């Protein structure tokens, strides 16, 4: 790998990935392609030297073709990523996650570029609360929301391009990420910034739903391992093997860590329609075949680090806070 195109590199996970590559891989020249939607922020890449930034759309075939020609690997993070937004208006999800991925795949096959597709555990649907089942790479797809369905469709496109055209591609499906630079519309940073602001944290419904939290750096180290050692055509599940923890427990932990009494520290708001109940990833294949291990195995410690980052970087999230909360207020959330 000498020249790497990172799509969505100004978003949460993509920016952390670019930072990781920049800090650990001197030999790789990174170019970021990002549309800078509401979720993308140039400031996420501040201070990085040698990273080229291209402001553009992954569905722009001319631009994508030009960039594919100049790079030997594409790591594809760009997406519309928030379930709640997909319930309000699915159209950008179809355009970016499906048409955008298709556009990248066509350019990658034309120029024989190694491709890695970053996807989600949500393609598998959900699991029963309290069960000890987990998603494996063989679990059938059963997405619930327009977001999940668009990601599932994009995974299918990648597999078809591997089989039909011999594209050199891999896929990873990861569980819920947390860490620095995550947009404050998402669960954990929303609650942290609410508490900093003196607003009450907001729990959807009863909060029994379970998510399988992983630190963004562990996700991104797995992506690098797949690029280095993954087998073409294979899919790898990524998850940190955490004990089940539901949203109510997470919000109460955040309250405790930020000095609020969890008993009266938060508010119940409207539930998400079609809310997935439980996610849990089996990452055995990634561990056994590629030797990956999560480093953040203690959610409490990872949350403490994340809370400190949001406290220290108020100027980063402040401009989006009122508008984000106004959108939620319209939905009774
Ligand atoms: P994000 O919403 O924070 O960032 C998405 C980035 O993509 C933004 O910078 C945005 O400007 C850019 N983008 C959107 N549409 C674009 C387009 N048409 N052209 C170019 N750039 C565009 O998302 P994230 O949480 O960082 O997620 C990144 C990827 O990881 C997504 O593919 C998502 O499905 C996947 N994923 C996320 C999680 C998670 O917990 N956040 C877990 C597993 C997988
Ligand atoms: O599982 C991977 C997925 O994780 C990624 O593919 C998505 O891009 C990412 O957004 C995330 O999806 P979720 O829908 O699980 O994440 P979100 O942060 O929106 O919500 C996490 C849980 O918290 C979910 O059960 C809904 C709940 N929630 C969310 C918000 C924003 C609340 O209770 N209150 C809130 O304010």
């Amino acid at each position: 790998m000498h020249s790497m195109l990172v799509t969505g590199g100004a978003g949460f996970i993509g920016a952390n990935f670019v930072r990781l590559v920049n800090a650990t891989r001197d030999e790789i020249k990174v170019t970021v392609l990002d549309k800078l939607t509401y979720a993308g922020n140039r400031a996420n890449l501040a201070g990085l030297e040698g990273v080229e930034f291209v402001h553009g759309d992954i569905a722009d075939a001319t631009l994508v073709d030009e960039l594919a020609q100049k790079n030997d690997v594409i790591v594809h993070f760009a997406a519309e990523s928030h379930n709640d937004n997909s319930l309000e208006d699915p159209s950008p999800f179809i355009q970016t996650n499906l048409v955008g991925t298709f556009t990248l795949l066509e350019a990658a096959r034309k120029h024989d570029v190694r491709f890695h597709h970053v996807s989600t555990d949500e393609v598998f649907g959900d699991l029963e609360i309290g069960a000890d089942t987990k998603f494996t790479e063989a679990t059938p797809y059963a997405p619930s929301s327009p977001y999940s369905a668009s990601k599932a469709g994009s995974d299918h496109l990648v597999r078809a391009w591997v089989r039909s055209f011999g594209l050199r591609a891999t896929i990873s499906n990861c569980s819920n990420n947390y860490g620095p630079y995550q947009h404050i519309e998402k669960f954990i940073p929303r609650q942290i910034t609410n508490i900093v602001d003196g607003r009450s944290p907001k729990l959807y419904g009863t909060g029994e739903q379970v998510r399988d939290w992983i630190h963004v750096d562990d996700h991104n180290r797995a992506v690098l391992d797949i690029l280095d050692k993954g087998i073409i055509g294979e899919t790898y599940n990524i998850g940190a093997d955490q004990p089940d923890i539901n949203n109510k427990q997470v919000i109460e932990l955040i309250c405790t860590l930020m000095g609020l009494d969890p008993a009266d520290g938060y508010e119940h708001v409207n539930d998400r329609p079609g809310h997935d109940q439980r996610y849990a990833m089996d990452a055995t294949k990634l561990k056994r075949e590629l030797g990956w291990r999560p480093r953040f195995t203690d959610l409490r410690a990872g949350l403490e680090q994340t809370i400190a980052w949001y406290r220290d970087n108020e100027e980063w999230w402040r401009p989006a806070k009122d508008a984000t909360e106004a959108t939620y207020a319209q939905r009774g959330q």
Side-chain angles (χ1 to χ4, degrees), residues 26-276:
D26 284 345
E27 74 282 11
I28 301 177
K29 161 86 177 77
V30 173
T31 302
V32 167
L33 170 60
D34 200 294
K35 190 178 172 183
L36 296 179
T37 67
Y38 79 94
N41 189 343
R42 276 297 263 124
N44 296 1
L45 300 169
L48 294 182
E49 280 181 22
V51 173
E52 189 183 337
F53 183 79
V54 178
H55 184 195
D57 192 330
I58 57 166
D60 177 342
T62 308
L63 175 62
V64 162
D65 187 82
E66 214 176 276
L67 291 169
Q69 208 170 352
K70 293 186 198 152
N71 285 280
D72 49 36
V73 52
I74 296 175
V75 188
H76 177 32
F77 291 92
E80 286 293 335
S81 69
H82 194 37
N83 277 297
D84 292 322
N85 295 344
S86 81
L87 298 168
E88 287 297 309
D89 179 10
S91 59
F93 290 76
I94 303 305
Q95 177 60 24
T96 288
N97 301 358
L98 288 167
V99 178
T101 301
F102 159 74
T103 308
L104 288 166
L105 288 170
E106 282 294 80
R109 95 166 154 118
K110 181 170 164 198
H111 299 290
D112 189 25
V113 177
R114 167 84 171 84
F115 193 87
H116 181 72
H117 180 60
V118 177
S119 192
T120 170
D121 57 1
E122 298 195 12
V123 298
F124 301 120
D126 61 355
L127 300 162
E128 203 182 312
I129 293 172
D132 62 0
T133 44
K134 292 193 172 197
F135 298 130
T136 72
E137 289 81 359
T139 302
Y141 276 31
S144 313
S145 72
Y147 162 67
S148 314
S150 68
K151 290 297 291 188
S154 67
D155 292 11
H156 289 316
L157 291 177
V158 176
R159 290 197 183 96
W161 262 242
V162 170
R163 177 153 175 176
S164 302
F165 305 123
L167 184 76
R168 293 180 296 123
T170 42
I171 298 176
S172 54
N173 296 85
C174 188
S175 59
N176 282 65
N177 286 221
Y178 70 94
Y181 299 103
Q182 185 167 31
H183 194 280
I184 54 166
E185 69 187 348
K186 301 286 170 32
F187 180 54
I188 287 177
R190 184 181 183 207
Q191 314 315 333
I192 295 171
T193 54
N194 275 353
I195 294 172
V196 170
D197 261 2
R199 306 178 201 234
S200 58
K202 306 285 192 293
L203 186 66
Y204 290 179
T206 56
E208 287 161 310
Q209 291 76 19
V210 172
R211 295 293 182 267
D212 187 359
W213 294 102
I214 184 172
H215 193 278
V216 63
D217 288 344
D218 282 332
H219 179 181
N220 283 330
R221 284 190 311 99
V223 171
L224 268 181
D225 281 345
I226 295 166
L227 287 165
D228 286 338
K229 301 178 270 187
I231 308 288
I232 296 302
E234 291 293 314
T235 292
Y236 299 89
N237 277 2
I238 307 173
D241 219 6
Q242 292 290 297
D244 275 13
I245 181 165
N246 67 32
N247 295 338
K248 183 168 180 291
Q249 291 168 309
V250 173
I251 218 168
E252 291 183 356
L253 179 56
I254 293 171
C255 288
T256 303
L257 294 174
M258 296 185 74
L260 280 188
D261 179 358
D264 55 14
Y266 61 92
E267 195 181 317
H268 291 270
V269 295
N270 286 347
D271 207 350
R272 174 184 286 171
H275 203 165
D276 275 345

